[in-house]
Amino acid sequence: MRTRETKAAPRVEPVRVPRFWTAVVLIWLLSVLLRILSLAAFGDGTPAGEQGAQMVIHTHDSGYHGYQAQAFLGQAEPRGPYTLAAVLPAVLSLVTPLSLDVVLFFLPVLLAPLVVFPMAWLGRRWIADLPALGLALVSSFLAGLYQRSHAGYYDTDILNVFFPLMIVVLFVRMAEDVRVRWLVWAVVLALLYDWWYGSARAMLFALAGGLCVHTLLYARTLPSRWQALIVFGLAVVPLPPAVRLPGLLLLMLALHVVLPRLTPGYKPAAWLARQTVLWLAPVALLVFAWLAAGGAAQIQSQVATYLGKTPTIDVQSAKGTLHFAAATGTIVESTGVSASLYAKTFAGQVLLGWISLAGLALLLWRVRDAILLLPLVLMGLIGFSSGIRFAIYLAPVALLGFAWGVYQLVRRLAPRDMNLPGLICLVFLLAPAWFHGGEVLRWNRQVALPVFDAGQVEALRAAAQRDSGASRWAFAWWDYGWPLWHYGQWKTIVDNGTHGDADSYLVSRAISSTNQAELAGLALLTSGEKARQPGQQAISGLLQRYGEIDGIMSAARGLNQTNTHGALVAASSTIVFPWQMRYLFYTIDKFSRRDLATGRLQDDKAVWMLGRVIERKGERVTVAQTLAPRVTSARPRFVVDETSGLVEMHEGKTRLSRLVRVSWQAGKRIVSERLYPAGDQLTLVEDEHGVILMHERYYHSNYVQMALLGRVDSTLFDVVYQGSTLLLAETRVAGR
């Protein structure tokens, strides 16, 4: 009996998109266009912030890069080494008709979407063409990355994902093609990354470690791979450029040109490869383990310092640090965030976040080259405990894991149809696109505020021109240090690079104090000390002179009565109080309430809540809290009865002691107050920027009295500029 022959069904290959890379370029252009169009949404949901896009910087770090760009152009004195982030906008402002400020504003729009190219390549390599194009488009506006790369947010983060992903792409190419060109490009990108971002070394070490692990697992018998590992390892070693660049050149010439030409048959190279396998493998593992452990310890130490987990302050030696821990409630730098909030940040939605992580885990398990993504994965996972900003690293690889998981699932359900998985995967990518797109709009409308708006910039530059360069001192919180450098070339007590200095304690004491004499005196004393000992903490010299903090504060209070300090004080110092500081004031006050012996917070029950009125019904006012650390959920609300002063919150009920309204008529500030007897020491202040519910102590602080209510002591300050968005008050000294 003849057996019936069966024929296997012909295998259908996934559809290939013609002109794939042309399509990717068009996606990049589309993402740039979408980012430009999204500017129209800036400030729509803020009571009196931006109204439409303003070509001003949105991040404090932009001020540093902008100032260094000015220095590179010969318009200022450099205050640090020139990085690529400063040189690039400077050169572009020279070769284009655009001003430096416009270049800084639009560079994130052009550079951040470059992430579409490595995402498209990886998607095409591990999934299929159609899902790869979808991945490219969605990756251009991932919420975790967009929050740190929208227009005006000129920060190193705009390329901190592109560089590692492109290096991973080149590593994957090295795994399948032994030609040296991929190694050369990987080294070039590593050097550019190191020049672009001074703190990129941890990621570069991790990338080198990932390459080492991949080599040991899958390519330990290939001499070319070990040679590549040696060369890339040298590229990430923190040596001076004058040593590293010639060393790389000589090493590559020796391994890829000289040795092969000197000995036909590559015998020395083969011997080197054998030796490499014998001794370099364990040495490399030990070295990278040491680097990883040391890098992890260093990162943990930096995070601990940055977030305030090591709070003891040695004020007497002025070598201790104050910490940024108090900013745990801010939307970008928040720490200790819930897992659900972090999942929303990198995936757009909680459930999608966990599905993405599951798909990513399977991708790492099933695709051997995907192990090269581990550095980005590990850096992103750090964010669950260290800071929400690390979502920029996890967002693209999590999206890749989501797409790969969907594709593989559909392939198992329909194994004979190779087109259906790609189409289904493309449809499923609509979900993250929807959630990430919604977060982008929310961010633009409710969060994306400039450090200084256009009017404030004009006032700052005009005020800076009034003073000579020697006396152009600005007394402000450190968040405004670098922007003040850029807008007027001011000198500052603290800035974004020295925010951990103990000088931040003196600045916080002055701003949150209820005595304007302390503010004026500390501004003059610290500015004078900084001028006398540039590069040193002002608190160090002041402690040597006055012995203790109380002595410094006493000298500051008495400075307006007699000018016995002579050259020890600055000729003048300008107090800078922008309206945006209300979002930082609680953090500032926390610095001032550190116990100097233990670093612990004192009196940590004060209330400072920001909100905006969303409904008025007679005497009942409903307020929604603004800038709450949420992504999509409803904001907390509270209701105020203006007749009785009763405040209803989700925690319970309380009662106002004071209701204050601030308005402007004919260019003059009008302040009205309403008192409530037997209140709970709470004050509600309402102005055009929103509502602040605060403890009575905050109401009497220098910031609230001067910046919000316009009550400036004319015996201590000359008001240089006063408006609804900014106060500039120059200090006065008796006898001058």
Side-chain angles (χ1 to χ4, degrees):
M1 183 176 179
R2 296 177 62 184
T3 59
R4 185 178 179 181
E5 296 182 1
T6 59
K7 294 183 178 181
R11 180 180 178 87
V12 180
E13 295 296 329
V15 62
R16 304 294 289 184
V17 175
R19 299 186 181 278
F20 177 83
W21 289 108
T22 301
V24 175
V25 172
L26 291 177
I27 287 175
W28 172 75
L29 292 173
L30 176 62
S31 63
V32 170
L33 178 60
L34 290 175
R35 282 173 174 256
I36 294 176
L37 293 177
S38 71
L39 303 184
F42 272 5
D44 286 355
T46 59
E50 289 183 279
Q51 300 301 323
Q54 299 182 29
M55 293 182 188
V56 290
I57 60 177
H58 283 237
T59 175
H60 310 92
D61 288 2
S62 300
Y64 178 80
H65 303 308
Y67 177 85
Q68 287 294 91
Q70 290 175 322
F72 185 80
L73 296 172
Q75 302 169 4
E77 292 294 326
R79 301 184 186 180
Y82 292 120
T83 63
L84 181 57
V87 173
L88 179 61
V91 172
L92 289 177
S93 68
L94 282 177
V95 300
T96 67
L98 302 176
S99 68
L100 179 59
D101 284 351
V102 174
V103 170
L104 291 171
F105 184 80
F106 279 108
L107 265 181
V109 174
L110 298 173
L111 296 183
L114 289 176
V115 71
V116 305
F117 292 98
M119 287 295 290
W121 193 93
L122 292 172
R124 193 184 202 194
R125 169 78 177 179
W126 293 334
I127 309 176
D129 282 17
L130 284 177
L133 294 178
L135 277 170
L137 181 59
V138 179
S139 66
S140 67
F141 57 92
L142 294 171
L145 177 60
Y146 182 84
Q147 291 172 4
R148 304 188 66 82
S149 63
H150 59 263
Y153 205 106
Y154 185 70
D155 186 87
T156 50
D157 280 346
I158 62 179
L159 287 179
N160 280 350
V161 178
F162 168 77
F163 278 120
L165 277 177
M166 277 304 303
I167 291 173
V168 167
V169 167
L170 294 169
F171 283 171
V172 175
R173 293 293 287 137
M174 286 167 50
E176 62 188 21
D177 187 346
V178 297
R179 285 180 292 180
V180 73
R181 66 174 66 175
W182 311 116
L183 172 61
V184 172
W185 281 113
V187 168
V188 169
L189 282 180
L191 295 176
L192 286 175
Y193 188 24
D194 194 20
W195 187 25
W196 169 261
Y197 182 42
S199 300
R201 212 151 286 149
M203 175 61 79
L204 289 172
F205 284 155
L207 289 168
L211 180 63
C212 181
V213 171
H214 187 274
T215 301
L216 287 172
L217 291 176
Y218 306 117
R220 56 181 176 270
T221 60
L222 298 178
S224 60
R225 173 57 70 85
W226 287 103
Q227 293 172 5
L229 183 60
I230 294 171
V231 172
F232 191 82
L234 178 60
V236 305
V237 172
L239 296 172
V243 176
R244 186 165 26 165
L245 294 178
L248 281 170
L249 182 60
L250 292 175
L251 182 60
M252 294 192 71
L253 286 174
L255 293 177
H256 298 282
V257 178
V258 177
L259 288 179
R261 289 180 181 274
L262 287 179
T263 56
Y266 302 89
K267 293 181 180 179
W271 176 85
L272 177 63
R274 289 194 299 271
Q275 297 302 311
T276 293
V277 174
L278 292 175
W279 61 266
L280 187 58
V283 171
L285 276 179
L286 290 175
V287 168
F288 285 118
W290 177 80
L291 285 175
Q298 182 183 14
I299 292 173
Q300 185 62 34
S301 175
Q302 291 175 347
V303 167
T305 300
Y306 189 65
L307 304 179
K309 297 178 182 178
T310 54
T312 302
I313 307 163
D314 185 2
V315 177
Q316 293 299 325
S317 64
K319 293 181 179 179
T321 57
L322 288 165
H323 310 291
F324 192 51
T328 55
T330 61
I331 193 71
V332 177
E333 302 286 0
S334 53
T335 60
V337 298
S338 65
S340 60
L341 172 57
Y342 195 69
K344 289 178 182 178
T345 304
F346 72 77
Q349 204 268 347
V350 177
L351 181 60
L352 285 177
W354 299 121
I355 294 175
S356 300
L357 291 180
L360 180 60
L362 289 174
L363 172 65
L364 295 171
W365 177 258
R366 297 300 299 273
V367 179
R368 70 180 193 177
D369 289 344
I371 198 173
L372 295 167
L373 291 172
L374 270 178
L376 284 96
V377 176
L378 296 176
M379 193 69 74
L381 293 176
I382 288 176
F384 274 100
S385 61
S386 299
I388 206 168
R389 65 183 301 176
F390 289 93
I392 66 170
Y393 300 106
L394 191 55
V397 292
L399 181 67
L400 185 63
F402 172 80
W404 185 88
V406 171
Y407 184 83
Q408 294 299 319
L409 178 62
V410 179
R411 275 195 62 183
R412 289 183 177 274
L413 296 177
R416 296 187 178 184
D417 191 340
M418 298 300 291
N419 293 327
L420 183 63
L423 293 173
I424 296 296
C425 183
L426 198 61
V427 172
F428 269 78
L429 282 173
L430 293 176
W434 173 264
F435 288 110
H436 283 292
E439 171 58 9
V440 165
L441 290 177
R442 186 198 73 87
W443 191 267
N444 283 355
R445 290 171 177 171
Q446 301 174 12
V447 183
L449 292 174
V451 180
F452 294 120
D453 63 35
Q456 293 170 318
V457 169
E458 183 180 354
L460 285 167
R461 284 177 167 160
Q465 293 174 0
R466 296 173 68 252
D467 299 324
S468 64
S471 60
R472 194 185 302 160
W473 283 96
F475 190 86
W477 187 238
W478 63 260
D479 279 273
Y480 301 98
W482 284 346
L484 284 168
W485 290 13
H486 180 56
Y487 293 132
Q489 300 181 16
W490 296 86
K491 298 177 181 179
T492 58
I493 307 305
V494 288
D495 55 58
N496 308 66
T498 59
H499 65 271
D501 288 358
D503 283 347
S504 293
Y505 173 77
L506 294 180
V507 177
S508 67
R509 281 285 298 264
I511 294 173
S512 59
S513 168
T514 59
N515 188 335
Q516 292 189 28
E518 290 185 355
L519 172 61
L522 281 174
L524 289 167
L525 287 174
T526 53
S527 301
E529 191 61 36
K530 280 285 189 179
R532 191 174 70 89
Q533 298 187 80
Q536 300 296 320
Q537 294 193 43
I539 195 173
S540 178
L542 294 176
L543 285 172
Q544 293 174 7
R545 188 172 304 115
Y546 301 110
E548 57 184 3
I549 294 293
D550 289 340
I552 297 175
M553 303 306 294
S554 178
R557 287 190 296 270
L559 196 60
N560 67 308
Q561 300 172 3
T562 175
N563 184 20
T564 58
H565 299 270
L568 301 180
V569 301
S572 67
S573 184
T574 301
I575 310 301
V576 181
F577 282 165
W579 78 270
Q580 296 94 326
M581 192 184 285
R582 66 182 61 199
Y583 295 114
L584 301 171
F585 180 73
Y586 188 66
T587 297
I588 296 170
D589 180 69
K590 269 192 165 183
F591 272 76
S592 72
R593 290 186 282 114
R594 293 281 189 184
D595 182 273
L596 298 181
T598 64
R600 295 179 180 176
L601 286 171
Q602 303 174 353
D603 184 25
D604 194 26
K605 297 181 180 180
V607 175
W608 180 268
M609 294 178 60
L610 304 176
R612 60 186 178 90
V613 175
I614 59 174
E615 185 180 49
R616 291 185 187 273
K617 289 185 177 180
E619 293 291 301
R620 290 178 62 84
V621 179
T622 302
V623 178
Q625 186 177 344
T626 57
L627 286 184
R630 288 170 167 77
V631 176
T632 56
S633 59
R635 297 183 186 84
R637 300 181 178 183
F638 60 89
V639 179
V640 180
D641 188 320
E642 295 182 354
T643 302
S644 63
L646 186 67
V647 180
E648 302 174 19
M649 311 173 70
H650 62 277
E651 295 93 347
K653 296 182 179 180
T654 186
R655 193 175 297 274
L656 293 177
S657 297
R658 188 189 316 262
L659 174 63
V660 181
R661 281 199 170 90
V662 182
S663 60
W664 286 79
Q665 297 179 10
K668 293 184 179 181
R669 194 191 315 255
I670 307 298
V671 179
S672 61
E673 293 191 23
R674 184 173 182 176
L675 301 178
Y676 301 92
D680 295 327
Q681 294 187 318
L682 285 178
T683 294
L684 186 75
V685 176
E686 181 182 357
D687 62 9
E688 63 179 287
H689 301 292
V691 172
I692 309 176
L693 181 66
M694 66 185 75
H695 190 274
E696 191 75 4
R697 177 170 61 82
Y698 289 154
Y699 174 74
H700 295 289
S701 68
N702 288 330
Y703 174 69
V704 172
Q705 290 294 309
M706 297 173 67
L708 274 61
L709 307 183
R711 297 167 179 170
V712 181
D713 190 336
S714 60
T715 65
L716 299 172
F717 302 98
D718 291 324
V719 176
V720 176
Y721 180 89
Q722 188 172 36
S724 61
T725 63
L726 179 67
L727 171 68
L728 300 178
E730 191 174 15
T731 55
R732 304 176 64 183
V733 179
R736 291 191 177 178

